Amino acid sequence: MKKNKTVLFGALVLSLFFAQNLSAISFEDICSGLSKRANTIGEFTQTKKINSNGRQLKSSGVYIICPDGIMWKTLKPFPLKLVLTKTQMIQTSADGRKSVINGAENQVFKNISSILSSVFSGDSEQLKNNFETEFFLVDDGWRIELTPKDSTIASAMKKLVLSGEAKGKDDVSMNRLEILEASDNSVVYEFSNQRYPKELTLDE
């Protein structure tokens, strides 16, 4: 009985220590922590919910986030590659055909690209300038809700919700991203098997 009490007391002390450590983490800490990852590689599952008919469209693949941009490579249900840089969006279909959108000619793309760049570069001030930000600590993780101030961004989406884990200010990861569209549809990305190499391979 005494041993059980000792174990229970030890677990309680650890949980209180962790809770206090987590409570000190701020919105700025999360942004800074994400930006410390030079490169992020992992797998994703995308679920698009169609509000009008209740359908759910699922796809999955791999992704890379690096200083040059973001690459989404869908493997199922059919191959598709999307590369997003600060100036262009390049989509490549299974037969090799490419579609290029120039960011300078598309204000919505330009704004969304700026959002993603701000998130992964740790630019919390840029996010606050463009969004109403709400920050929450939940269990052993965090959630950030971004509501656009700009009407151009708002015409495409109502809210962007990011969430993930935080084991400390220097150990932050994102495992979920949800886009609530202006049409009331939503797109959810769930990330798994993430790793953070300092350098990418030639293929990557």
Side-chain angles (χ1 to χ4, degrees), residues 66-81:
C66 69
D68 293 325
I70 301 173
M71 187 276 292
W72 304 96
K73 186 176 183 181
T74 303
L75 302 175
K76 296 179 180 179
F78 52 84
L80 183 69
K81 184 166 68 176

Side-chain angles (χ1 to χ4, degrees), residues 41-45 61 63 174-175 190-195:
I41 297 174
E43 300 174 9
F44 74 87
T45 299
Y63 72 96
M174 183 172 70
N175 55 28
E190 295 178 295
F191 309 114
S192 60
N193 297 324
Q194 299 181 69
R195 54 191 179 90

